[in-house]
Amino acid sequence: MKDIRNIIFDLGGVLFDINYQNIIESFQKLGLSEFDAIYTQLKQDHLFDELEMGLISASDFRDRVRKLAKKNLSDEQIDGAWNSILIGFPPRNVELLQDLKSKYRLFLLSNTNEIHEKAFRQMLDSLYNIDILANAFEKIYLSHRVRERKPDLKIFERVIRENNLEAEHTLFIDDSPQHVEGAKAAGLKALWLQNGEWVGDLLKREIRY
């Protein structure tokens, strides 16, 4: 893959380690025995889409989870289960971004929500003495803030337009195949990170940075 000048990274599953099974098991323990039927990496209920697009508040989300569970769960119980998906941001990914920053324009594009953002920023603050994300990326796009989400074409077009990117010289990396296809539909070059491969190895193999 040649002539790459810009790289757009997904966050969870690419740079920030996550575990989907954790979140399923945590909510099952709270009484949502069929949580895996409404939330997976490939497909999720509209409730989670609405949260990721900032169409409902964290309070609304918690109230709807209580209705699904048919239990008076506390905010802390719900947030704890919801945030159990978050594992951490490995130091080698910090080093990777610092290395790439000297060679490419870097952007972050993540489907996330206000509860997760608060939690992962607290985790990053406890691990590092600088704002890792602000330091690494020219611009950050979080779905609940821009009210658009992957794999919709509009959010990819927005990143391209607002940063004057040439799609053919821009690489997008994500761990969800439907998001990779969305990026390709927008004219971007795209790679699907899978099978637990480290993103640094994928980049070395594909663009030989």
Side-chain angles (χ1 to χ4, degrees):
M1 192 174 289
K2 299 179 180 179
D3 299 321
I4 297 300
R5 303 170 189 172
N6 323 293
I7 305 176
I8 305 170
F9 285 91
D10 175 35
L11 182 59
V14 174
L15 295 171
F16 199 108
D17 290 343
I18 58 175
N19 187 314
Y20 284 93
Q21 191 60 35
N22 281 0
I23 202 170
I24 291 170
E25 292 176 358
S26 294
F27 273 107
Q28 287 175 336
K29 289 177 181 177
L30 293 182
L32 283 85
S33 59
E34 298 181 357
F35 190 80
D36 56 339
I38 61 173
Y39 185 84
T40 68
Q41 181 177 7
L42 296 176
K43 186 178 180 181
Q44 60 191 34
D45 185 83
H46 62 85
L47 167 62
F48 307 104
D49 292 344
E50 290 174 10
L51 183 65
E52 285 187 346
M53 291 183 69
L55 301 179
I56 61 172
S57 67
S59 295
D60 292 333
F61 171 74
R62 296 184 190 106
D63 286 342
R64 287 166 68 172
V65 169
R66 290 184 186 102
K67 289 181 180 179
L68 287 171
K70 297 179 181 179
K71 288 184 178 180
N72 188 26
L73 301 170
S74 69
D75 289 356
E76 291 74 20
Q77 284 178 302
I78 295 169
D79 287 2
W82 187 233
N83 290 332
S84 67
I85 194 173
L86 304 172
I87 305 301
F89 200 108
R92 66 176 179 174
N93 289 349
V94 178
E95 296 170 4
L96 173 66
L97 291 173
Q98 290 304 309
D99 185 24
L100 292 171
K101 187 179 177 181
S102 65
K103 305 176 180 71
Y104 305 93
R105 295 177 67 190
L106 304 183
F107 301 89
L108 184 69
L109 174 56
S110 174
N111 283 359
T112 189
N113 58 84
E114 62 175 297
I115 300 174
H116 280 167
E117 183 186 2
K118 180 180 179 180
F120 71 64
R121 288 193 182 278
Q122 287 176 342
M123 292 174 75
L124 291 175
D125 286 344
S126 69
L127 288 170
Y128 305 104
N129 294 322
I130 61 173
D131 187 333
I132 295 299
L133 302 183
N135 186 61
F137 297 104
E138 186 173 326
K139 196 163 183 179
I140 295 170
Y141 292 84
L142 304 180
S143 61
H144 71 102
R145 292 184 175 273
V146 300
R147 301 207 169 189
E148 295 173 354
R149 68 186 295 278
K150 301 173 291 184
D152 294 345
L153 192 62
K154 289 191 296 184
I155 196 166
F156 293 108
E157 292 176 336
R158 178 175 185 159
V159 177
I160 293 168
R161 181 181 66 253
E162 291 185 354
N163 300 286
N164 297 312
L165 303 179
E166 294 177 309
E168 65 270 24
H169 297 303
T170 303
L171 175 64
F172 172 72
I173 306 171
D174 202 291
D175 66 324
S176 295
Q178 69 273 25
H179 299 164
V180 170
E181 292 307 311
K184 289 179 179 178
L188 297 169
K189 294 181 179 179
L191 294 174
W192 178 22
L193 182 67
Q194 55 184 317
N195 299 325
E197 182 177 17
W198 178 46
V199 65
D201 289 338
L202 177 68
L203 285 168
K204 287 177 182 177
R205 184 176 71 249
E206 297 293 339
I207 66 174
R208 297 179 177 85
Y209 74 91

